Amino acid sequence: MAGPERKVWSENYSEWFHKVISETPIYDTRYPVKGTGIWTPFGFRLRSSVLNIIREELERTGHDEVLFPQLIPDYLLSRESEHIRNFEDEVYWVTHGGKTPLDVKLALRPTSETAMYPIFKLWINAYSDLPLKIFQVVSVFRYETKATRPMIRVREVSTFKEAHTAHATREEAEEQVRTGVEVYSRIFGELKIPFLRSVRPDWDKFPGAERSVAFDTIMPDGKVLQIGTVHFLGQNFSKAFDIKYMTKEGGYEHVWQTCYGISERAIAALISVHGDDRGLVLPSNIAPVQVVVIPIVYKGREEEVLKACVGARDALQSAGIRAALDNRRDLTPGNKYYSWEMKGVPVRVEIGPRDLDAGTAVIVRRDSLKKVQVQIGSLAEAVKEAFREIDLELGRRSRDWMETKVRKASSIDEAKEELDRRGGVVEMFWCGRASCGQELEKAIDARILGTPYEDEIAVGQDAKCILCGEVALKKIRAARSY
RNA sequence: GGGGCUGUAGGCUAGCUUGGUCUAGACUGCGAGGCUUGGGCCCUCGUGACCCCGGUUCAAAUCCGGGCAGCCCCA
């Protein structure tokens, strides 16, 4: 499928991304605080579309939305030792109320475990209160020391969807992890974002987790972006926060917990994996505007053309399609095409004098820019059919592209060369020892993503660790990452 | 964490070495009007900036110090 070029997109991704988010516009980076940004009206609508899909999936699977406070007292934040050890260098502190120094320092939440779990202790009394499954969408703050990047590495994560669950047994909580992974797989499936699911190595788990499963995607420049994580917390937090429930038998037991999160990185990925040199390309379910109708007015037939366009827009809207009419008089059609293409509107409808005479309209797909003429009476049907094709194509194209970026390597040199030359992800065999894993990271100058979620332990009989040469127990993935 | 570079209208760019002629630009955007409209038409008029604070100086976009912000490289 030809479509517009993806030259800048692939060769100068950083520039492309910045240009797209600022020109569309989606996200304004000019706010004078490092690592923050502004969601513009269009960007906010795009963000809402993504959140709607996330909310729908979570609510459908029994999660209730809540909202906890932003401020966390220092004694709570530091209660789980591993958790605080990993976050303490990047916490923002509120130390004053006006001019008065606070007796208890308050953290701007870097994540909400320590805000929520003392309250879980109050909410959970008996087994009948379990399972507890909640989520919230909030800003979290992390004082990033690495270079910040709009939407990708920020100090105020402005779109942090975090879900937290509590269960009676280890098995139930482990089952919830699998459910969480499936929920996220469906969400990214809806967004047509291809992903790899990896079990993070022990040295890169979420602070306080027993096990972390991560979703990664590959960006146009070949670097990997983490777009979601699902954590099994075991009883680490429930013991630290003393969250107990009374069992059927009358004894007390600490709950078993999970948590999982998605941030605006998912939106950065959505923008990046589908885009081309004309700007955004959006799946129809995400696009804030699904169809734009553009009148091709000629002198003498303005009224007639405009009337037909209004009719077309209304017909599309009554068919449940988010349609807009661009009747700005001072822009040429070409000008309008470019601006709506930048916004990623999946389908454009053109109606001009030729169409009036023939009783037709022209529809143009954003992904391929292919034009077809359809009968005006069946416009809505034709548009819906185009949506189906576009959505299929976007899913196929992004998945195929990612697959070309995942390679196997059987030696250190091969792995390093692959990463140097094409980026992406390399898969290797690994004995499972942390020492080998961390040495591997240094040797190939990459980050270990972990082992495939789907087949954590399945490797061939004669597989050897890429580093020490001993029997391999696992496959391991590595990549250059954001 | 270490090092380097940068900051001039909404965007992009020149000027900075050697302080004064620089309230710069045939660009783009934005506003008004005209002419147009099947891929960024054209014309006229208008609009807008030297990141912040301090210092040096008769004089600072330019030199110095600090802050804030951004980019790049290394760990």
Side-chain angles (χ1 to χ4, degrees), chain A residues 217-439:
Chain A
T217 195
I218 304 177
M219 300 296 255
D221 59 359
K223 284 168 87 173
V224 158
L225 185 72
Q226 173 177 303
I227 50 175
T229 46
V230 180
H231 311 290
F232 177 63
L233 301 178
Q235 291 179 312
N236 289 339
F237 285 91
S238 65
K239 285 181 176 163
F241 288 90
D242 196 33
I243 312 171
K244 286 184 295 204
Y245 71 97
M246 187 178 284
T247 62
K248 278 182 191 168
E249 293 74 34
Y252 281 100
E253 190 89 46
H254 285 105
V255 300
W256 297 81
Q257 292 177 276
T258 80
C259 65
Y260 27 107
I262 291 181
S263 76
E264 62 252 50
R265 281 181 160 207
I267 302 171
L270 173 78
I271 292 166
S272 301
V273 301
H274 299 312
D276 62 29
D277 286 358
R278 299 272 176 99
L280 288 186
V281 183
L282 294 175
S284 65
N285 56 338
I286 306 301
V289 176
Q290 296 174 300
V291 182
V292 61
V293 179
I294 298 189
I296 311 298
V297 290
Y298 274 89
K299 206 166 179 167
R301 303 190 71 175
E302 295 95 336
E303 289 301 313
E304 221 182 328
V305 168
L306 198 61
K307 203 174 148 208
C309 287
V310 170
R313 182 202 53 196
D314 292 349
L316 290 166
Q317 286 180 347
S318 3
I321 294 167
R322 294 188 291 276
L325 169 63
D326 187 349
N327 59 3
R328 288 176 289 180
R329 299 304 306 262
D330 47 343
L331 291 180
T332 59
N335 222 316
K336 295 178 185 179
Y337 301 163
Y338 282 103
S339 73
W340 290 103
E341 279 163 5
M342 179 64 83
K343 286 179 153 56
V345 174
V347 171
R348 172 173 94 228
V349 172
E350 304 170 16
I351 300 177
R354 291 208 294 265
D355 298 294
L356 290 185
D357 298 339
T360 58
V362 174
I363 72 177
V364 187
R365 283 171 55 166
R366 173 63 182 88
D367 59 336
S368 62
L369 294 187
K370 272 208 283 206
K371 294 188 179 196
V372 283
Q373 202 162 26
V374 301
Q375 291 302 310
I376 191 85
S378 56
L379 181 61
E381 257 326 297
V383 165
K384 283 183 178 173
E385 180 55 26
F387 286 170
R388 280 189 285 276
E389 288 169 10
I390 291 167
D391 292 348
L392 270 175
E393 170 61 16
L394 292 185
R396 195 191 59 75
R397 177 169 80 168
S398 58
R399 198 170 46 248
D400 288 355
W401 186 88
M402 191 184 81
E403 274 165 17
T404 67
K405 293 284 180 183
V406 181
R407 318 281 289 185
K408 295 185 191 329
S410 50
S411 73
I412 299 284
D413 288 346
E414 193 188 339
K416 187 165 189 325
E417 200 201 313
E418 194 66 40
L419 291 170
D420 286 342
R421 203 159 40 100
R422 332 165 11 113
V425 170
V426 289
E427 293 186 338
M428 296 153 285
F429 290 122
W430 176 44
C431 64
R433 281 192 290 260
S435 56
C436 272
Q438 288 172 312
E439 209 173 306

Side-chain angles (χ1 to χ4, degrees), chain A residues 16-32:
Chain A
W16 178 88
F17 184 71
H18 197 268
K19 192 170 131 94
V20 167
I21 62 174
S22 59
E23 283 183 19
T24 300
I26 293 168
Y27 191 79
D28 197 324
T29 58
R30 292 171 298 180
Y31 192 74

Side-chain angles (χ1 to χ4, degrees), chain A residues 54 111 113 136 159-164 184 188 213-215 226-231 258-264 266:
Chain A
I54 294 175
T111 172
E113 285 73 17
Q136 64 180 9
T159 309
F160 189 61
K161 190 290 300 167
E162 49 178 330
H164 298 261
Y184 279 13
F188 293 123
V213 180
F215 287 71
Q226 173 177 303
I227 50 175
T229 46
V230 180
H231 311 290
T258 80
C259 65
Y260 27 107
I262 291 181
S263 76
E264 62 252 50

